[in-house]
Amino acid sequence: MRLFLGCIMAVALALSPAMAGANDSRSGGSGDAKTVDPTTNSTSEAAAKPDAEPAKTSVESELEELRDLLLTQAQELEAQSEQLKQQQQQMQMLEERLNVADAALAKLAAAPAPLSAPASSATISGIPAAAPTSGTASVSIPIASAAPIPEAKLGPQQAQKAETAPPSPLSFNIGSARFTPGGFADLTNFFRSKDLGSGIGSTFSSVPFNNALPLGALTEDHFSLQNSRISLRVDSTVAGGNVIGYVESDFLGFTNDNLNVTSNSNTLRMRLYFVDYRRGKWEILGGQDWSMVTPSRTGIAVMPADVFNTQDMDTNYNVGLTWERTPQFRLIFHPSDTVALGFGIENPQQYTGSAVTFPTLPIAFTNTQVNTGTSLNSAAIGTGTAVNNLATPDVAPDLIAKVAFDPKVSGHGIHLEAYGLFRTFKIDTFTGTTNLGTTTIHGGAGSFNSNFEIFKNFKIFETAFFSSGGGREIGNTNVPDFIVTPAASATSLLGLSPVHSDAGMLGFEYQTTPKFMVYGYYGYVYVGKDFTVNGCGTAAAPAPCGYGFPGSANSNDRSVDEPTIGFIPTFWRNPNYGALSLITQFSYLNRDPWVVAPGAPKNAHLGMAYIDLRYTLP
């Protein structure tokens, strides 16, 4: 507006000399020039110098001064306009950098970063630094330090400071507590070259042989939403320490016989439900969480994001992985940011599986004292083989001690961990209504697990598990903890013998770009044979008992192995709205029994393919 007024005044001033000349032709006007003085017979200065500039009135002088002032202000406005354009360009550059920052932060939205990751002002990978400009300040974006994530496996050992966790657009506060809903929706298609019949989760010990008809000659293909997940995390501070409450559920609960007929009404089940409290270097957890026998990605894992359970879509994960989700109490000491020492007390279960043959002579063993792996469904009840596993007379909880190290070498993260497992088993010997006494033995296991970054975003994973009586920890392979040995006489006690078993995995995960991951694993399980030459059959024709004996069923596996490869492209990700990704898995599952009957197949094998479309909440 000031520039517009200045232009009008300039035009007015330009026209002012013409107006002054017009006024000179009028007599008596206020603009008359000086005339001859009759008394002096002389002329005025203007008349004596006809070529001189006409004298200016005071109004004209004021208008010229105003015009000069306005022109000066107009020039200043033009300079300011040019500066404004430069600032707008700088703002555009900053907006571009912030867009890249949003994309980088979106990688953290799939799962929360551990609360122990300290917030720092750092340059986000992939964001170009702004060129310095005169009069402008450089901009830094504070972020929580974290590595690129495939399914968000981050952070040092669970310092659990709520104020450093990435904010979620779904979070809300009630009082001093912050509530954060989470989860994802899965639509999974899975195909198997043989009819395993175990649903979305593979029972690795049930692969049918080619001559096991009709299952060995049929394929299966199903859709399922059962792996969809809902969770709620609550963060607060109590007595100077940080508290996390966490609950997580999926829809893989008890399966009705008519599940896939009409309504497809999947059943909600609890996966995790625990409270974790950390103050200073000490941490206490109580509730149901991943067992400490499950490998961690970092520290002694508390939150699911820090657990190594592969990237597989198979809800039983991969052959060779040791894991449980179980009620427990644990105490963890953090002497430093890179070291954690933990001790856990976990729910026991003396497990023999369905492949062990129990003694019948001279005293028959009552198998309700052990978990045989049968379920309380209608089929088991109808055949009389159902066992109430909650009535298993476990004598003491499982005890676990674990140590974890998380150093960095040349900027690359390394995770090393080792643990020991101590277990106790007990059975009673009965003849009719007489209890002859109790037999108790101990079992144990040890494990060493690691992962390390070879180069940026490329990690190698390794697990190794060796046990004598720890078969239950090897997921979904029907490996027994022990066998029952026959009594020496009708008045002697039955015995127990722990079964030797090993398991391990070797694999990699490579986040090739922020929106594409490739992964692969190879896992194996070995089960030692353990049997007695008699104790079964009849008195006239005694037969061996136990696991893997000559003539045993082909369910007595000597080894099970599974190679897997998969790809995870992410189509779209936004920190405010979540992410849409495709998870694929291709596996070859093979099992070899201890005994192969003449003319029977030497092993059982099948191929599997999973394709899953997942929407993850922000």
Side-chain angles (χ1 to χ4, degrees):
M1 177 62 70
R2 295 173 62 187
L3 181 62
F4 177 73
L5 292 175
C7 293
I8 293 177
M9 293 298 298
V11 171
L13 290 172
L15 295 176
S16 61
M19 294 174 62
N23 289 335
D24 290 341
S25 64
R26 298 193 303 269
S27 62
S30 60
D32 290 348
K34 293 182 181 180
T35 58
V36 177
D37 189 344
T39 61
T40 60
N41 195 29
S42 64
T43 61
S44 68
E45 182 180 359
K49 300 179 180 178
D51 296 332
E53 182 178 353
K56 297 180 180 177
T57 67
S58 61
V59 174
E60 291 175 342
S61 299
E62 290 176 359
L63 288 176
E64 285 184 354
E65 290 176 358
L66 179 60
R67 181 187 64 178
D68 294 338
L69 176 62
L70 291 175
L71 289 175
T72 300
Q73 292 178 349
Q75 292 174 353
E76 292 176 353
L77 286 174
E78 289 178 356
Q80 292 176 1
S81 176
E82 186 65 24
Q83 292 178 357
L84 180 61
K85 289 180 181 179
Q86 294 178 358
Q87 292 175 355
Q88 289 175 343
Q89 292 175 352
Q90 294 171 6
M91 288 296 298
Q92 185 176 1
M93 292 174 61
L94 289 176
E95 288 176 358
E96 293 174 355
R97 295 178 64 218
L98 288 174
N99 289 335
V100 179
D102 287 341
L105 291 174
K107 294 186 293 184
L108 301 175
L115 294 176
S116 61
S120 63
S121 181
T123 300
I124 301 176
S125 175
I127 303 178
T133 57
S134 176
T136 61
S138 61
V139 177
S140 63
I141 302 174
I143 61 170
S145 58
I149 53 173
E151 195 175 297
K153 320 286 185 181
L154 317 166
Q157 359 180 33
Q158 298 301 326
Q160 299 173 356
K161 296 181 180 178
E163 63 272 16
T164 63
S168 167
L170 301 181
S171 295
F172 59 92
N173 288 350
I174 299 180
S176 61
R178 185 181 68 192
F179 292 74
T180 305
F184 51 79
D186 271 354
L187 175 59
T188 307
N189 176 260
F190 58 96
F191 169 85
R192 297 188 180 101
S193 60
K194 293 180 181 178
D195 189 2
L196 190 60
S198 62
I200 192 173
S202 302
T203 303
F204 304 126
S205 59
S206 299
V207 180
F209 289 84
N210 289 341
N211 61 350
L213 302 177
L215 298 182
L218 300 174
T219 63
E220 62 171 326
D221 184 88
H222 298 283
F223 283 93
S224 176
L225 280 83
Q226 289 178 283
N227 194 47
S228 299
R229 200 163 300 169
I230 54 176
S231 66
L232 177 66
R233 171 173 171 162
V234 183
D235 294 87
S236 188
T237 56
V238 176
N242 298 298
V243 179
I244 292 179
Y246 187 78
V247 59
E248 179 181 275
S249 296
D250 61 21
F251 298 87
L252 283 158
F254 183 80
T255 302
N256 296 312
D257 293 337
N258 64 345
L259 174 66
N260 292 326
V261 178
T262 305
S263 67
N264 291 274
S265 301
N266 300 304
T267 307
L268 185 71
R269 70 168 183 175
M270 182 183 70
R271 290 169 57 91
L272 305 175
Y273 201 159
F274 63 83
V275 174
D276 182 87
Y277 177 77
R278 176 165 178 175
R279 181 176 179 179
K281 296 182 178 182
W282 293 95
E283 183 176 3
I284 300 174
L285 181 144
Q288 177 156 308
D289 195 7
W290 290 89
S291 166
M292 286 208 298
V293 305
T294 312
S296 299
R297 292 178 178 270
T298 181
I300 297 178
V302 171
M303 299 304 298
D306 293 321
V307 172
F308 174 67
N309 54 9
T310 77
Q311 300 291 340
D312 290 348
M313 269 310 303
D314 193 327
T315 56
N316 285 335
Y317 311 108
N318 210 93
V319 167
L321 183 68
T322 55
W323 65 277
E324 287 184 57
R325 291 189 296 268
T326 185
Q328 61 186 278
F329 174 85
R330 71 170 69 165
L331 178 67
I332 304 175
F333 176 59
H334 301 271
S336 70
D337 291 338
T338 59
V339 179
L341 305 171
F343 177 77
I345 302 173
E346 300 190 355
N347 184 53
Q349 190 75 187
Q350 48 191 41
Y351 180 83
T352 60
S354 59
V356 172
T357 301
F358 298 110
T360 57
L361 296 173
I363 300 175
F365 173 68
T366 307
N367 68 357
T368 55
Q369 300 184 68
V370 296
N371 186 331
T372 61
T374 59
S375 59
L376 293 172
N377 58 28
S378 59
I381 294 172
T383 58
T385 60
V387 175
N388 183 2
N389 296 325
L390 296 178
T392 302
D394 300 291
V395 63
D398 293 345
L399 307 178
I400 304 173
K402 191 171 189 177
V403 58
F405 302 91
D406 292 272
K408 279 194 173 183
V409 177
S410 300
H412 297 286
I414 297 176
H415 172 73
L416 307 171
E417 67 174 39
Y419 67 79
L421 167 68
F422 181 79
R423 308 187 66 196
T424 303
F425 309 113
K426 181 194 77 170
I427 61 168
D428 283 358
T429 302
F430 300 95
T431 57
T433 58
T434 302
N435 187 351
L436 299 179
T438 299
T439 301
T440 302
I441 66 167
H442 301 290
S447 180
F448 175 77
N449 310 311
S450 65
N451 66 75
F452 46 94
E453 189 178 54
I454 301 297
F455 53 87
K456 187 176 181 180
N457 299 338
F458 183 90
K459 279 193 171 184
I460 295 291
F461 294 84
E462 166 275 330
T463 71
F465 177 83
F466 308 94
S467 85
S468 178
R472 169 200 177 205
E473 317 298 337
I474 306 174
N476 300 95
T477 45
N478 202 34
V479 179
D481 291 330
F482 55 83
I483 67 165
V484 179
T485 58
S489 67
T491 58
S492 299
L493 299 180
L494 295 164
L496 294 172
S497 176
V499 173
H500 171 75
S501 58
D502 303 330
M505 290 184 64
L506 183 65
F508 74 93
E509 294 175 0
Y510 184 25
Q511 190 77 43
T512 60
T513 70
K515 291 188 177 182
F516 189 83
M517 167 181 276
V518 57
Y519 68 91
Y521 315 102
Y522 173 77
Y524 81 95
V525 172
Y526 171 82
V527 190
K529 56 185 177 181
D530 192 355
F531 61 89
T532 59
V533 295
N534 53 35
C536 291
T538 63
C545 299
Y547 185 90
F549 54 85
S552 60
N554 59 14
S555 59
N556 288 218
D557 291 326
R558 174 174 55 86
S559 65
V560 185
D561 63 287
E562 179 187 15
T564 296
I565 192 169
F567 309 92
I568 307 177
T570 298
F571 304 126
W572 170 80
R573 180 186 287 128
N574 185 292
N576 293 320
Y577 303 106
L580 182 65
S581 55
L582 188 72
I583 305 174
T584 63
Q585 175 190 344
F586 306 95
S587 300
Y588 181 81
L589 185 58
N590 180 81
R591 68 181 183 95
D592 296 280
W594 271 108
V595 177
V596 177
K602 294 183 178 181
N603 54 43
H605 52 269
L606 59 80
M608 300 188 294
Y610 287 78
I611 300 177
D612 175 80
L613 185 63
R614 172 174 295 181
Y615 168 68
T616 304
L617 292 175

